[in-house]
Each structure stands twice: as C-alpha cells, then as structure tokens.
Amino acid sequence: MEQDMQDFAVEARRFLDAHVAKALDRTAFTWGEGDDSMAYFSSLPPEEEHEHVQRARAWQRIRHENGFGWITGPAEYGGRGLTPVHDLLYDAVESEYDVADTGVLSVIGLGMIGPTILAHAQPHIKDRWLPAMYRGDAIACQLFSEPGAGSDLASVATRAVREGEDWVLNGQKVWTSVAQHSQIGLALTRTNPDAPKHRGMTAFLVPMDTPGVEVRPLRQMTGGADFNEVFLTDVRIPDDHRLGEVDGGWTVALTTLMNERATVGSEGVGPVAAALSPDHLSALMRATWTWDDRALRARLAELLVDVLATEHLNARALHKLRAGVAPGPEMSVSKLMYGQNLTRAAHFVSDVLGPRIIADTGQWGTYAWTELLLATPALRILGGTEEIMKNILAERVLGLPKEPVTAAAREVRP
Amino acid sequence: MTADESELRELRASVREFLDSKSPEEAVRKLMESEPRFDPAVWAQAADQLRLPGLAIPEEYGGDGFGLVELGVVLEEMGRALFCAPFFATVLLAAQALLASGDKEACARLLPGIASGRTTATLAVAEDHGSWDPAMVLARAVPDSDGGWTVRGRKCFVVDGTTADVILLVARTVAGPTLFAVQRDAVGLSAEPMETLDATRAMARLTLDAVPATLVGAQGAGGRIMATVLDIASVGLAAEQAGGARRCLETSADYARVRHQFGRPIGSFQAVKHKCAEMLAQVELAEASSREAARLADEDSPDFPVAAAVAHACCSRAYMVAAMENIQVHGGIGFTWEHPAHLYFRRAKSSQLLFGGPAVYHERLLDRLGI
Ligand SMILES: Cc1cc2nc3c(=O)[nH]c(=O)nc-3n(C[C@H](O)[C@H](O)[C@H](O)COP(=O)(O)OP(=O)(O)OC[C@H]3O[C@@H](n4cnc5c(N)ncnc54)[C@H](O)[C@@H]3O)c2cc1C
C-alpha cells in the first residue's frame, strides 16, 4: 500500500515536472511583491473570465490525457479506478506546482455532479457526459436552489410534467454558480405535488442549450457575478435524462449534497490560503506597525490555533482514509470551521488595517483585503448554512431529536 | 515502538474498563477529600496489571518503549474519568524531564522505579507567581564541598508535591537554570498541601532550606530541558483535556435526548442542539490537534513544537467550552455539588491555567511560528 502510494506520487511528480513549473514557495512570502489579490470570487471582466475558463479546461484536458483527470473514476468512463487517498495525494503534490485554477470545473461539476451522474444516470448518459466532464469539455452546474427553497430544499416548486417520452420543465432556479459557463445542469423538480414533499421530486440532467433555458447573471455583494438566476420555460427533456426514479429525486439530491459537504470544506488554495497563513498575517502586522499590539497578537494567536487545528482535523480524516476507516464528522466540522476561520481572519485583518480597508490608499496588500472581507458572508451560507450544518451534526452525529415537524412544513408552498 | 490502530483501540478499551471499575465517580469524590489524593492499591494495580507507568519509558530503563501516541490514549481516558493518581506528575512531568535531560546515569537510577510504579515523582518549576518559565526561577543551587549541591528557595503549584518520592526541580546556578533531583525525605525539605480549585489534582508548596540535591543533566541546561518537557507535557495535558471534553459532550448529548420540557426533549430545541454541535466541533478539533501533535512527536518531526503549542491552546479552550456548556445544558441540576459537571469545570479551568494560561501559550505559539 505505502509502496504503491510512493510510486503514484513519483508518477504524479514526473507528470507535473513535464508540464508545469513549481509554484513559488509560499513560506518565502515577501511583503509588497507579486499579486496582492485576495479574491475568493473571481469578479473578472467577461473576456478575462472567458480566458480563465479556457485555461481551466486546457489544464483539465492535460491532466486527463495523463491519467490524473479522474483518479477515483471507473476505467470504463475514462477514470483511473484508484482510491480517494490517491486523489488526495495527487492534490497535495499538485499544490506544489503552479497550475491553472480549475475551480470552475471541479468544485461543482467534478466534485458534486459527476459522482451523482455516476451513481444515478442511465449508461448512455454516463457515456455521453462523464468523459466529457472529466476531459474538461463540459462544465456542470447545480440547479437546486429556488427563491422559495434554500435551506428547505425539499420545497422546490419547479414543475416537471410528463408528455410522452419527454418531460416539460417550468420554473426558476437561483444562486446557480457557474451556470453561465455550463453545458449541463442537474435540476431538482417537482413531479408529484400531492405526495409528501420529499417524495414528490425528480432529478433531471438538463443540457443548458435546450430551448427555454435562460441564464441571467446575478450580481453578488462582491460586485461580480459568479452566480445566476436560471429560468426554465417549457424546457423539454427526454425521459432518459432522468436521474433515479420518478419521484425519487430526493435520494439523488442527497448524493450531491453529501459530496458538496466534502468538497466545500476541502478547498483552501490561492489567495484564500494566504489569508490563513501565519507568514502573511504577521507580515501584515509588521507593515502596519501593529506588530507589538498585545491585544491584536492574542487575537492572531487564537485565530491561528483554529486554522492549524482545522488542518490537523483534515489530516486526521486523511489518516483514517489511509487506514481504510471511514472518516467521521471531520469533514462537516471542517466545513464549518473553514467559513468561520476565513471570516475571523478577514475581521482580524480589518482591525489591523483600520481605515486602510475603508478607502484605498494605493498601498500594496491593504485595500485588496476587501475582496475577501466581502466574500466571507457567502462562506457561511453556501453549501448549507452554518445553522443547517449544526442541525446535521447534532442530529446525525450526536443523535439528538429532530425538530418537530408541523403540518404546514410537510406541504410545499406554492 | 508504535502501536497500530487496533492495538490503540485495545489499549483504550482496557484502560477504560480499568477506570470504570477502579475510578467511578464515587471513588473520585472520596479521594478528592482524602490524603493522599490517590489510592495506593489502585495505583499498584495500574502498574502491575496494565503496566501504565512504564508504557512510554524506554525499554533500557525498564519500560515498554511506546511513545506519546500511546501515552495520549491513556491520558485521554484518565481525563475522561478524572482519575486521581500520580500518573501525570510522575510519568508526564518527571519521567519526561529525566529523558529530556539526556542524563543516562540519572535515568538509570530513577526511571526503572518509575516504570514499575514503585517510585512516584514530580517536577517543580513554578514559584509564587506560577510561571513555568525557567528564566523566572529564583530558587538557587550552590555546590557544596563534597561535590554535591544544596538548594534554597520555594516552589509552588507542585503537582503531587506532598507525596512524590522524588522531586525534580529547576534552580538557578551560576551557569543558569539547572535541573536537580531531591529526595522526599531530604533534610530541609518541607511540603504543605495547597488548597486547589480542582481537588482531583493535588498541589503543594515546597520550602527548601539548604536541601541536598543531585545534579541532573548539564549545569545550565534547565532552559533547554524545560522547553522540551513543556512541549511534551502540554501535549499530554491536551490529551487529558480532550478526554474530559469528550466526556462533557457525551453527558450533555445523553441528557438532551432524555430531559423533557415544554413537552419535548430539550435536544430538539435548536438553541440546545446548536450548543451541542458547537461542543462537538470543539471536541473534534481538540482530539485532532492533540493526537496529531503526539504523532509528530513520535516521528521526531520538526513540526512538533508548533503542533504542541496548537494542541495546548486548542484543547484548553475546547475543554473550557465543553465544561461550561455542559452545565448550561443540564440547567439547575448541573450547578449542584452532587452532579459531576463541576468536577469537570474545575479540572478544565485549572488545566487551562496550569502552565501559565492563554497569555503565555498564545505568545508561545507565535514564538514557535517565528512571529
Ligand atoms: C455564493 C453562493 C453560491 C451558491 N451556489 C449555488 C449553486 O450553485 N446551486 C444551488 O442550487 N444553490 C447555490 N447557492 C444557494 C445556497 O445553497 C443557499 O443560499 C443556502 O442553502 C441557503 O438558502 P437560502 O439562501 O434560501 O436561505 P434560507 O434557507 O432562507 O435561510 C435564511 C436564514 O435562516 C436560517 N435557517 C433556515 N432554516 C433553518 C433551520 N431549519 N434552522 C435554523 N436556521 C434556519 C439559515 O441558516 C439562514 O441563516 C449558493 C449560495 C451562495 C451564497
């Protein structure tokens, strides 16, 4: 097992050495040098955004051609058939290199929708889309949330009505990340309004170029538009694009949500990693002459305890995987901490910067932090709010009783 | 030597079983009001049946040669049970100080007795101000005519200080802080018990009036030895804290499932549910940070000192949160003397401050990170 891992790491390094440069050593961070961007969301102008997506696709294709595009996927769909540990090991090795950011493909499409298609779609749909997704050709989005169905996802109201071999979808989705770049979307719809709400939903794979699908950018508080509204008007989808049983959409959604929780907590690269790096934060304190402020130092220490302990938590989950033991609540706790740590980091930094974060002095690495500061509220909401995550931990891990369900809550609101 | 996952599980199970039968709550309550604050018969059984004192002592000194990972499992269990025993002072403080001193002669003289459970020991560093920083030590040692040393001064917060057979202590010499060993029955040594917030961990004040002492390690090496010992001891303490915090969480969750108010279990109220979820997050972080630190210690990793500082701070906070919220979830009954919640609260607070507290460990972490 260990030997196999070492061979795999060597192979990964050989591949990466042949294609990309080593990343700059993050520990050798120097104040005032390089890009000072602290953006969690991209907020790029359209042409640059397009280039960014092309770079992501190109790098995914190279990965795929060399056997690192879908490490855990089955061979018949172009995967490598290896374990999650290989996957994590590859990520760790790749993080030492300067590769294109593939988040637009991976966070939702490869991280959440791919596994759902694999588990629930018909064979020819898998043939059609899985290789395309993992080759970087197809980007996927998650058409779950609606204006009236966020935390309470089972109350989706988008209707799907059967007409012969097709289904006709009507409704509105919202906050759909990367829909503007997507070729396919996984939609959760209502097929049986009379059934209890969890039992009246069906999931469909929607090609985004189907007539009647309209994507409208939705501006977010950071100023950019990473997410969208998606309007579905008489969208005809063949029955073979259905995932799972008719009215069995909740099971399909759960597959996606489980993968979502695993994906969201495990990010932490690029500028976001810098925001949690002891070197970066201490350099900031030096640059602002707050170095020996005792109150700030104590807060920095408290923040770093959480950041480093969360890293240990992720390491524990990895050891467990390696030992063939299923990880426990580590990933859910990690997701919770990830949002909180970044939020605390952003507020710590704003206290260090003071007025320099309310107006741009032009000084390197100061006002740039507004980008992270404005992104932090999203991190406590997306992928399940903090409150929902706590409910899940308390009920599923600690076995506390569920919230009493009222009669009204059983029904779908119009 | 290192145990694999299933061996660790076995170790945990046997220690838990032992403590369930030998250290139930009634036993803890009885011991915390008696002198000594441990039961010598139970201590002897822990040594003879489970070989606990020798677990992490190298084989050449009569131990079983395991590391901090295994010791951590034992300490988690002891923390859970609030086990009253000379384990912490003897095995974690004194034995680790001896090992860190690199003084083979002193190790060969003292460790076999410790490993077998025949000798109990402790480490006396702090004085009236409570700091474990060897630079703050005022006690002085001077060489006497026949090659020995005598120590004068006072020591405070000495864990098991009235009962330990051997006291390792830091005193200053012309070469700087230095480690010495003093025998319990040495002339000039007096020990008085201190009243403690946490009665399950006995502490004493020592007065040393020209007490004969043996040099341990090199003269002036006290600072370096203490840096190592504090890292290891704080990771051991962190394990104890993680165990106590886990116990508080379990007690709260159990109670929240069965206690009814307003016609429903209190655990179905979100305010309570979220409290429990926050305790769970703290406990998971605490276990991860203390176990990772122990693993890095056993691997001799250069990352260990940072991890030790993280574990100490993380587990101190986690235990405090868990112990406080445990009382809150229990409501009025949690505030009664009869309920065990206050025993954990007392232990959590006193452990958090044992080596100096947040102001000290935060600076220590920043220092380790080069900040
Ligand atoms: C940046 C971003 C990207 C997103 N991307 C996508 C995407 O790609 N696809 C997609 O489908 N969705 C996406 N979402 C939507 C996201 O999943 C929802 O916003 C989220 O689940 C919360 O739903 P809501 O916004 O309707 O808030 P609500 O559910 O209305 O919640 C409002 C408040 O009430 C609280 N609350 C609700 N129910 C409970 C309860 N039972 N107990 C306690 N408190 C409760 C919440 O915690 C929150 O504080 C995205 C959101 C963001 C911010």
Side-chain angles (χ1 to χ4, degrees), chain B:
Chain B
M1 206 167 11
T2 35
D4 63 24
E5 285 296 324
S6 75
E7 287 166 329
L8 289 178
R9 260 198 306 279
E10 242 170 72
L11 174 64
R12 185 183 299 281
S14 57
V15 176
R16 189 172 295 187
E17 195 188 329
F18 179 80
L19 295 175
D20 280 349
S21 75
K22 308 291 178 186
S23 179
E25 189 189 330
E26 316 85 78
V28 171
R29 284 181 182 268
K30 209 172 116 236
L31 285 172
M32 70 190 211
E33 285 168 359
S34 36
E35 277 310 322
R37 298 230 189 132
F38 68 98
D39 181 340
V42 171
W43 176 241
Q45 286 167 339
D48 298 340
Q49 293 170 16
L50 299 181
R51 304 173 60 86
L52 294 185
L55 185 75
I57 288 176
E59 280 156 313
E60 55 179 314
Y61 302 123
D64 288 337
F66 285 100
L68 205 47
V69 167
E70 293 77 12
L71 203 53
V73 168
V74 174
L75 284 160
E76 277 183 26
E77 291 304 314
M78 290 181 171
R80 247 183 108 79
L82 296 174
F83 183 42
C84 299
F87 190 85
F88 185 81
T90 304
V91 175
L92 205 62
L93 298 176
Q96 293 300 333
L98 283 164
L99 289 167
S101 75
D103 185 332
K104 291 203 162 25
E105 195 272 322
C107 287
R109 187 158 35 89
L110 295 170
L111 285 177
I114 288 179
S116 69
R118 300 296 166 254
T119 308
T120 66
T122 189
L123 174 62
V125 183
E127 300 178 357
D128 290 347
H129 43 62
S131 169
W132 280 68
D133 182 350
M136 305 280 277
V137 164
L138 296 177
R140 287 199 63 89
V142 288
D144 58 23
S145 47
D146 40 79
W149 292 78
T150 53
V151 181
R152 271 180 208 281
R154 270 150 67 90
K155 291 287 169 186
C156 254
F157 310 101
V158 182
V159 181
D160 296 332
T162 58
T163 54
D165 301 317
V166 178
I167 296 147
L168 291 158
L169 59 82
V170 178
R172 55 176 60 252
T173 68
V174 283
T178 303
L179 190 64
F180 292 92
V182 165
Q183 292 297 318
R184 135 120 284 100
D185 50 12
V187 250
L189 175 69
S190 64
E192 49 171 321
M194 294 171 82
E195 187 180 322
T196 49
L197 170 67
D198 166 20
T200 62
R201 181 128 63 207
M203 290 189 182
R205 176 182 287 117
L206 308 185
T207 310
L208 301 118
D209 185 12
V211 177
T214 317
L215 178 69
V216 177
Q219 251 194 81
R224 187 187 50 74
I225 296 171
M226 278 310 300
T228 308
V229 174
L230 266 182
D231 278 348
I232 294 174
S234 56
V235 172
L237 180 64
E240 221 195 63
Q241 290 168 313
R246 172 69 74 183
R247 181 60 173 266
C248 290
L249 166 67
E250 287 172 4
T251 321
S252 287
D254 288 347
Y255 190 68
R257 279 192 289 265
V258 298
R259 166 75 171 168
H260 278 65
Q261 289 294 282
F262 299 97
R264 36 195 273 217
I266 57 167
S268 71
F269 292 110
Q270 212 167 54
V272 173
K273 199 178 280 224
H274 286 191
K275 247 185 219 326
C276 292
E278 279 153 25
M279 288 165 83
L280 170 68
Q282 290 292 314
V283 169
E284 288 285 328
L285 288 173
E287 281 177 4
S289 64
S290 75
R291 291 177 188 179
E292 279 297 287
R295 193 179 64 78
L296 292 168
D298 289 351
E299 286 174 2
D300 248 333
S301 162
D303 297 334
F304 172 63
V306 169
V310 170
H312 183 29
C314 180
C315 295
S316 294
R317 184 199 49 195
Y319 196 5
M320 208 54 244
V321 169
M324 285 193 301
E325 298 297 25
N326 185 35
I327 298 179
Q328 186 66 16
V329 169
H330 279 84
I333 194 169
F335 192 66
T336 60
W337 183 265
E338 280 68 35
H339 198 278
H342 75 102
L343 303 179
Y344 288 89
F345 183 93
R346 290 162 178 275
R347 173 64 77 83
K349 184 46 94 184
S350 110
S351 299
Q352 177 183 40
L353 298 173
L354 182 61
F355 295 137
V360 171
Y361 57 63
H362 285 153
E363 276 302 323
R364 195 174 166 79
L365 170 63
L366 296 181
D367 179 58
R368 291 300 164 79
L369 286 166
I371 295 176

Side-chain angles (χ1 to χ4, degrees), chain A residues 108 142 144-145 150-151 175 177 227 381-382 385 387 391, chain B residues 270:
Chain A
I108 293 178
Q142 178 196 24
F144 281 11
S145 301
S151 301
W175 308 305
S177 307
F227 58 25
I381 297 172
L382 57 81
T385 64
E387 290 74 16
N391 285 352
Chain B
Q270 212 167 54

